[in-house]
Amino acid sequence: MEKREKIFVTGHEGMIGSAILRRLKEDGFTKLVIRTSYELDLTDQKMVSDFFMAEKLDYVFLAAAKMGGILANSSYPAEFIYSNIQSQSNVIHSAWKSGVKKLLFLGSSCIYPKGCPQPMKEEYLLSGQLEPTSEPYAIAKIAGITMCQSYNRQYGTDYISVVPADLYGPNDDFDPETSHVLPALIRKMHEAKIRNEHEVMVWGTGSPRRGCLHVDDLADACVFLMNSYDESEMINIGSGEDLTIRELALLIREVIGFKGDIIFDESKPDGAPRKLLDVIKIRNMGWEPKISLEKGIRQTYEWYKEHSGKLK
Ligand SMILES: NC(=O)c1ccc[n+]([C@@H]2O[C@H](COP(=O)([O-])OP(=O)(O)OC[C@H]3O[C@@H](n4cnc5c(N)ncnc54)[C@H](OP(=O)(O)O)[C@@H]3O)[C@@H](O)[C@H]2O)c1
């Protein structure tokens, strides 16, 4: 990417889009194009097509999507599959029609089969059944990846797909209804500390293992790959390390300074026992994350305290 080129970051108010935008600004890119979902609803085919034809964009980061944790996935399956397939199809197709040079599509680790061998290698995609609760979201993401590959094959485009590990950081979703485990734990323990409570309840046994990546590391990897990766096969982005939910909860308790107990509610579902991305491919290209989990959680907690008054 050259500084004079026009770059569209979709979903720039979301966690990933805002991190990519921050990163591009820091790098000195000035021709950055952004639109809120109110200004440009990506599910609207005509609006998206007209926008791409008028803007003549060079690069697109496709970070807009409807997403959430277990609860959101089971409550809004129709919204997730409709909105994601519709918006990503509109963007990818319009990018091709208007001659965009390169597009980066964001996948998700839930596209890998339930019970996938660990760590999950890129080649394991479509090798088994998906986790039923996230299936509508996962199928939309797999459709996006296949669409990028198909356009590359038929039209010679340069569209790449990345699969991030579970992310955390500024602009994360801290809503108890929809959030992922790390922000959910930060909020729970912070609120318990403020109210002088003696315990917090955490869903499940605490034994599942998760890998967490700071969103600024993800943005760094996305910019790196936009500049250096041009294969159709998707590529994983993660730290290559994981820990149990129990270890994660203890680390968050220490960062927050919550003195109470953590009780694991074993009547609630655990989700997959382990979800670790194999990151050999990106490591071999010379990329690795720079933010340690403890430092990242401290930063995220500071961000949460600053913004908690304005969050849902
Ligand atoms: N967060 C993670 O841990 C994680 C991990 C792996 C992959 N991903 C993937 O990365 C992408 C971004 O995730 P995120 O965490 O940044 O999500 P996010 O914080 O929920 O942000 C999503 C953004 O997309 C926008 N958007 C949704 N539907 C839209 C539409 N129809 N038209 C225009 N904009 C629309 C939202 O705008 P409004 O709020 O105005 O609707 C929001 O700004 C998603 O594809 C997600 O699947 C995320």
Side-chain angles (χ1 to χ4, degrees):
M1 289 181 293
E2 304 287 337
K3 299 285 184 298
R4 62 187 158 70
E5 290 175 308
K6 231 172 162 181
I7 306 170
F8 180 32
V9 181
T10 71
H12 73 283
E13 290 185 320
M15 177 164 67
I16 298 185
S18 63
I20 294 175
L21 193 65
R22 239 182 354 258
R23 172 57 202 264
L24 292 171
K25 281 183 180 165
E26 276 167 25
D27 284 355
F29 289 94
T30 50
K31 290 194 169 173
L32 299 171
V33 179
I34 49 173
R35 293 289 184 278
T36 63
S37 60
Y38 180 72
E39 292 164 333
L40 179 65
D41 177 358
L42 296 175
T43 63
D44 185 322
Q45 190 179 24
K46 180 160 184 347
M47 271 180 88
V48 175
S49 170
D50 291 349
F51 167 81
F52 270 80
M53 285 309 189
E55 287 291 335
K56 297 275 170 249
L57 304 158
D58 294 301
Y59 291 88
V60 175
F61 289 89
L62 214 179
K66 289 260 175 271
M67 59 161 300
I70 302 177
L71 203 60
N73 268 312
S74 26
S75 310
Y76 313 112
E79 262 180 70
F80 278 26
I81 193 159
Y82 167 75
S83 175
N84 289 332
I85 286 194
Q86 184 82 353
S87 52
Q88 73 204 23
S89 300
N90 289 341
V91 171
I92 293 168
H93 188 70
S94 295
W96 165 64
K97 284 230 134 180
S98 64
V100 162
K101 285 183 188 157
K102 191 159 181 170
L103 176 145
L104 181 147
F105 176 72
L106 276 140
S108 161
S109 58
C110 69
I111 63 173
Y112 285 109
K114 185 180 179 179
C116 187
Q118 301 289 321
M120 301 183 284
K121 292 180 190 292
E122 288 87 352
E123 69 216 48
Y124 298 160
L125 182 72
L126 293 174
S127 61
Q129 293 275 315
L130 296 166
E131 153 58 40
T133 38
S134 52
E135 196 176 83
Y137 171 77
I139 285 183
K141 289 286 174 194
I142 295 170
I145 293 166
T146 308
M147 196 162 166
C148 288
Q149 292 169 340
S150 305
Y151 277 58
N152 290 347
R153 204 160 67 225
Q154 187 174 343
Y155 301 135
T157 49
D158 186 5
Y159 298 163
I160 60 172
S161 301
V162 305
V163 179
D166 285 348
L167 301 166
Y168 70 97
N171 288 315
D172 207 343
D173 177 6
F174 289 88
D175 181 344
E177 293 258 308
T178 48
S179 55
H180 286 122
V181 59
L182 193 151
L185 287 173
I186 290 184
R187 181 171 182 156
K188 245 183 205 184
M189 291 201 209
H190 173 75
E191 289 179 349
K193 179 177 140 182
I194 303 285
R195 296 187 197 123
N196 280 319
E197 286 168 1
H198 300 296
E199 57 182 45
V200 293
M201 280 289 218
V202 178
W203 272 32
T205 60
S207 57
R209 302 185 69 85
R210 292 290 179 269
C212 311
L213 183 74
H214 193 284
V215 71
D216 288 346
D217 272 331
L218 175 80
D220 184 58
C222 288
V223 171
F224 170 79
L225 293 170
M226 196 62 127
N227 285 321
S228 56
Y229 186 72
D230 54 13
E231 289 172 31
S232 263
E233 193 197 9
M234 64 194 203
I235 181 163
N236 290 337
I237 307 175
S239 66
E241 289 167 6
D242 62 0
L243 73 177
T244 64
I245 304 268
R246 184 180 297 273
E247 288 164 340
L248 180 65
L250 289 171
L251 181 57
I252 293 174
R253 182 172 73 168
E254 192 186 313
V255 168
I256 289 181
F258 169 60
K259 303 277 182 254
D261 294 327
I262 302 169
I263 312 287
F264 290 91
D265 179 356
E266 300 195 1
S267 69
K268 294 287 193 303
D270 256 348
R274 194 174 190 203
K275 268 177 75 184
L276 181 65
L277 294 178
D278 181 289
V279 292
I280 287 176
K281 196 167 165 180
I282 194 166
R283 281 277 163 103
N284 284 344
M285 289 182 69
W287 183 86
E288 58 181 35
K290 294 161 191 77
I291 304 169
S292 72
L293 186 56
E294 186 180 339
K295 186 175 167 203
I297 292 173
R298 281 191 195 285
Q299 278 179 356
T300 307
Y301 182 43
E302 289 310 312
W303 185 93
Y304 172 73
K305 282 192 289 185
E306 251 175 65
H307 295 83
S308 58
K310 288 172 253 157
L311 299 173
K312 267 215 276 178

